[in-house]
Amino acid sequence: MAEAYLADTQLATRYGVHRTTLWRWVKADPAFPKPISLSPGCTRWKLAEIEAWEAARTAA
């Protein structure tokens, strides 16, 4: 099965925050999944890593 990726706009909608907030989380929270650069100007997050991060936060 192909890996699913989410853009910053999709994640911002998912969490109800501005996309700039996601980039702040990347810098400030070492537990937040790091984005992957697929090509110049195309940065995405792996959906599986986002779901794992959400599960870890829920469990804590």
Side-chain angles (χ1 to χ4, degrees), residues 11-25:
L11 280 180
T13 300
R14 183 179 184 118
Y15 298 127
V17 298
H18 192 273
R19 58 189 285 242
T20 306
T21 302
L22 296 172
W23 294 103
R24 287 186 192 129
W25 291 351

Side-chain angles (χ1 to χ4, degrees), residues 19-51:
R19 58 189 285 242
T20 306
T21 302
L22 296 172
W23 294 103
R24 287 186 192 129
W25 291 351
V26 168
K27 290 180 182 179
D29 184 359
F32 191 74
K34 301 298 179 219
I36 298 166
S37 180
L38 299 178
S39 66
C42 182
T43 303
R44 301 289 186 263
W45 281 263
K46 286 186 179 182
L47 178 58
E49 290 179 7
I50 292 295
E51 290 173 340

